[in-house]
Amino acid sequence: MTAAAHDPSSSERLCGACGMCCDGVLFHSVELQAGENPRQLSALGLKLRRKKGVEFFLQPCSAHREESGACSCTIYEDRPSRCRLFNCRQILAVEAGSVSEADALEKIRNARAQVARVNDLISRLGESNPARSLAHRTANALTLAEGAERTELHDELDATMKGLEGFLAKEFRIG
Ligand code: SF4
Ligand code: SF4
C-alpha cells in the first residue's frame, strides 16, 4: 500500500501514481496485526475501530493524501504491517520482470479512469459520502428510495462498477 518493497524507484513511482489500496478502491478496511500498537497508530492519525477484539481502520485511509494525482502516506515510515507487506499484482509483476513499469502505469491509469467514471456516476445519483469505500458508495447509490424507479444511470453505474471490479480482480488483486 503506497509502499515500496524490492524495487523502491519503480514501485514508489507506480504507487505514487495509484493509491488504490489506500483510497477505498481495492479495500473496505485494514486490520492491525498482532504486536502492532493501536495507541501509537491512533496518535499518528489513523482512525481505529474495534470489533470482536480486532482493531482495524476503514478505507479511504485517513493517512492517504492525493494532490494533483500524486498519492502519498502521511505515516509512511510507521505504517501498519499489512500496508508494508501488501504488493498488488502489478507491483509483483514489475518486480519479477514480467511487466514493464510503463505497462503497469498504463494499467493504473486505466483503472483510475474507470474509478473516476464510477465516482462521477455515483455523485450524479446523489450519493455523497466520501468516507466510505467505492464499493459501499456504489451500493448506496444503487439502493432505491421507496417508490423510486431504477434509471439508465443506475444501469450504467452497475455496469461500470462491474467492469472495474473485473479489471481490478484480473490486474491488481492477489489471490
Ligand atoms: S494498488 Fe498496487 S500500485 Fe496501487 S498503490 Fe497499491 S500496491 Fe501500489
Ligand atoms: S497507513 Fe498509509 S499505506 Fe496504510 S492504508 Fe493508510 S495511507 Fe495507505
Side-chain angles (χ1 to χ4, degrees), residues 109-124:
R109 288 184 174 143
N110 185 333
R112 286 183 57 130
Q114 294 183 61
V115 169
R117 181 71 186 138
V118 168
N119 270 318
D120 176 55
L121 291 164
I122 285 174
S123 59
R124 284 165 66 191

Side-chain angles (χ1 to χ4, degrees), residues 31 49-56:
E31 288 183 7
R49 299 180 175 208
R50 188 180 175 86
K51 193 171 183 183
K52 295 180 180 168
V54 177
E55 304 268 2
F56 65 98

Side-chain angles (χ1 to χ4, degrees), residues 47-90:
K47 294 178 181 165
L48 296 182
R49 299 180 175 208
R50 188 180 175 86
K51 193 171 183 183
K52 295 180 180 168
V54 177
E55 304 268 2
F56 65 98
F57 58 93
L58 295 178
Q59 301 270 34
C61 176
S62 52
H64 176 67
R65 295 287 180 276
E66 182 175 347
E67 282 176 39
S68 308
C71 301
S72 61
C73 169
T74 59
I75 60 167
Y76 188 75
E77 296 302 326
D78 300 300
R79 67 200 186 285
S81 59
R82 289 289 289 269
C83 306
R84 290 175 189 277
L85 295 173
F86 180 77
N87 284 302
C88 71
R89 195 175 289 270
Q90 289 303 315

Side-chain angles (χ1 to χ4, degrees), residues 152-170:
E152 285 182 4
L153 215 51
H154 292 96
D155 292 342
E156 191 178 346
L157 172 58
D158 203 7
T160 308
M161 187 61 181
K162 281 180 177 145
L164 171 62
E165 280 297 352
F167 188 73
L168 294 177
K170 181 166 176 270

